[in-house]
Amino acid sequence: MDQPAILIVEDEQKLSRVLQLELEYENYKTEIADNGKEALRLMEEKEWDLVLLDIMIPGLSGLEVLRRVRRTDERTPIILLTARDEIYDKVSGLDLGANDYITKPFQIEELLARIRVHLRTPQVKKIDGEQLSVGDLHVDMNRREVKRSEKQVELTPREFDLLVCLLKNKNIVLTRDKLIEQVWGFDYFGDTNVVDVYIRYLRQKIDKGFDVAYIQTVRGVGYTIKDIG
């Protein structure tokens, strides 16, 4: 079996060297980029099995690198590394297409466990072509389009997946843990309050300005989309 290739994007030399030594000890091939422009070049020129991407790097920020890479590459697993621990940063990274997020300082054993999970998890999710709807809200799974009252609604990939999950379980109350498992994946290590953030985003785009609100909160349990009327 070929050695998985991992790109380490980290400008702190001591940390990047430690990561390289630990990963190579685990039989991974590695390369280091210490700035955003170099990282972007390497990610565009070579195929990687996984990328460790620090947010606070010179040149281009990690989030900007992530944004540009995800325009053409939705497959490569990307784990963000950062000293910041704010929910906004977590949501921003995940929303831009990061697969995971780990906050410094971290234990190398935890990082290695996350890497193993992402290397064995298929990264391309296939969605069956079908139509989902409730009232005047319609989702075209093939086109990944959402309309309410015939008006197109622009959703991020994560918002779309969350909406689809709710619609496929219409009238069933889903807990935060269940939504994390269905939308973010069983291997997600973050806080469940990320669900609340994305529900708020969805409500702003799906329900705001309409007499009927489809997304309902069941206090102490979770969320559901109700087939009203």
Side-chain angles (χ1 to χ4, degrees), residues 42-221:
L42 287 171
M43 293 170 78
E44 289 174 344
E45 291 180 357
K46 300 183 180 181
E47 288 192 8
W48 301 96
D49 294 290
L50 186 139
V51 176
L52 299 177
L53 177 61
D54 186 34
I55 287 181
M56 299 296 290
I57 49 175
L60 295 172
S61 73
L63 291 180
E64 182 58 28
V65 171
L66 176 62
R67 187 197 315 275
R68 297 189 188 189
V69 168
R70 283 299 188 234
R71 291 174 184 167
T72 56
D73 177 5
E74 296 182 358
R75 180 191 65 83
T76 304
I78 297 177
I79 300 177
L80 294 179
L81 309 177
T82 180
R84 292 190 276 183
D85 194 24
E86 297 292 329
I87 186 65
Y88 173 80
D89 297 307
K90 293 181 180 180
V91 169
S92 296
L94 294 170
D95 198 31
L96 287 171
N99 299 82
D100 205 348
Y101 189 111
I102 190 166
T103 304
K104 301 175 187 176
F106 51 81
Q107 296 295 320
I108 191 65
E109 291 81 5
E110 180 184 358
L111 178 61
L112 291 172
R114 296 191 188 202
I115 288 171
R116 287 193 294 270
V117 166
H118 289 294
L119 287 178
R120 67 172 178 256
T121 301
Q123 296 301 319
V124 178
K125 298 179 181 177
K126 295 194 180 291
I127 298 178
D128 296 332
E130 60 179 293
Q131 302 283 329
L132 297 174
S133 65
V134 57
D136 61 351
L137 176 63
H138 301 279
V139 175
D140 185 319
M141 302 283 280
N142 257 351
R143 297 174 180 271
R144 292 184 72 88
E145 288 181 351
V146 179
K147 290 184 179 180
R148 174 131 197 209
S149 292
E150 298 303 319
K151 183 179 179 182
Q152 191 152 323
V153 180
E154 296 295 334
L155 298 181
T156 66
R158 192 76 69 179
E159 290 166 354
F160 181 87
D161 291 343
L162 179 57
L163 177 61
V164 166
C165 182
L166 290 167
L167 282 171
K168 284 189 170 183
N169 294 276
K170 192 164 50 178
N171 299 315
I172 298 172
V173 181
L174 299 175
T175 64
R176 289 173 181 80
D177 287 336
K178 191 57 148 179
L179 287 167
I180 285 286
E181 179 185 326
Q182 296 280 333
V183 179
W184 280 263
F186 72 91
D187 53 318
Y188 175 73
F189 287 85
D191 301 325
T192 58
N193 61 357
V194 72
V195 173
D196 304 324
V197 174
Y198 274 88
I199 288 289
R200 188 161 66 247
Y201 290 165
L202 265 186
R203 281 179 166 147
Q204 286 287 320
K205 296 180 178 183
I206 297 296
D207 288 335
K208 188 176 180 181
F210 292 92
D211 294 333
V212 176
Y214 292 121
I215 302 172
Q216 302 290 313
T217 302
V218 179
R219 234 175 248 288
V221 184

